[in-house]
């Protein structure tokens, strides 16, 4: 299992230090939650902060867009050279076009599904995606309770991926901790995002390694 700490739960008063600490604690990616106050009822990180994170990080960036007008934000963040940019299928009229745009920047495209959105919504996009991100909370805030129906959804999605001999990864985001990590592993999840679980632990190293099952 690969681990992507969400910096939403980091101490922004010492962000530089926090980024270095999770990199040293052997995380695999840095997950950055971009919220615009329209798609979700919260407003978070813009390009100034992402630039600072990119400078401090020795790990690849995983940018999760929770915005309206995805294309505008892809142009905004592409210059920081993230490994992944993921966008919500619920907010995109032309997902195939946006996937091509992300790829043209040399970035791996991913699509995010809210808790109610079925895996079939990405059926005809799957072969063009490097990753599908399944939300296990309603997007907008860190520290929420894990919605366990994501386990069934991950299982169905994994089956679709395997039946089509694809290499698309499955990432799960929200409420992940040492209690549900084994279930997530069992249904074939490849990467977990964890915010409050990692940053509330006095040892980032212990928290991250407890998720690397
Ligand atoms: C929620 C964000 C998550 C969140 C995860 O909208 O996408 O990345 O920060 O935080 P925890 O792990 O605390 O649920
Ligand atoms: Zn996220």
């Amino acid at each position: 299992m690969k681990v992507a700490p969400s910096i939403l739960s980091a101490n922004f008063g010492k962000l530089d230090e926090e980024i270095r600490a999770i990199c040293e604690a052997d995380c695999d990616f840095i997950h950055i939650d971009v919220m615009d106050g329209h798609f979700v009822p919260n407003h978070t990180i813009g390009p100034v902060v992402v630039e600072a994170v990119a400078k401090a990080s020795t790990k690849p960036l995983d940018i999760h867009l929770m915005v309206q007008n995805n294309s505008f934000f892809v142009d905004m963040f592409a210059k920081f050279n993230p490994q992944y940019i993921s966008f919500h299928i619920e907010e995109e009229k032309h997902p195939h076009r946006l996937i091509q745009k992300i790829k043209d920047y040399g970035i791996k495209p991913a699509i995010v599904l809210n808790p109610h959105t079925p895996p079939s919504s990405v059926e005809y996009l799957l072969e063009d995606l490097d990753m599908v991100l399944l939300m296990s909370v309603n997007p907008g805030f860190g520290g929420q309770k894990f919605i366990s129906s994501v386990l069934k959804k991950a299982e169905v999605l994994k089956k679709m991926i395997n039946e089509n001999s694809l290499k698309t990864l499955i990432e799960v985001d929200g409420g992940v901790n040492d209690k549900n990590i084994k279930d997530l592993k069992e249904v074939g999840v490849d990467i977990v995002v964890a915010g409050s679980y990692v940053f509330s632990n006095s040892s980032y190293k212990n928290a991250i390694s407890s998720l690397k099952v």
Side-chain angles (χ1 to χ4, degrees), residues 6 31 33 64 66 133 135 173 193:
S6 160
H31 185 84
D33 290 304
H64 174 191
M66 283 159 275
L133 170 49
M135 291 309 297
D173 182 4
V193 176

Side-chain angles (χ1 to χ4, degrees), residues 6 8-9 31 33 35 64 66 135 137-144 173-176 193-197:
S6 160
L8 200 55
S9 296
H31 185 84
D33 290 304
M35 306 184 190
H64 174 191
M66 283 159 275
M135 291 309 297
V137 295
N138 288 296
F141 303 93
Q144 303 181 82
D173 182 4
V176 172
V193 176
S196 50
Y197 175 70

Side-chain angles (χ1 to χ4, degrees), residues 156-201:
V156 172
L157 181 61
K158 195 72 179 185
K159 202 161 166 247
M160 283 165 64
I161 291 168
N162 290 340
E163 279 172 1
N164 291 287
S165 308
L166 298 172
K167 293 204 170 86
T168 322
L169 300 178
I170 302 179
E171 183 175 41
V172 166
D173 182 4
V176 172
N177 56 37
D178 58 343
K179 308 277 182 307
N180 49 35
I181 193 70
K182 284 214 181 76
D183 294 340
L184 291 163
K185 175 79 183 178
E186 257 168 44
V187 295
V189 173
D190 303 286
I191 306 173
V192 286
V193 176
S196 50
Y197 175 70
V198 168
F199 285 99
S200 67
N201 198 306

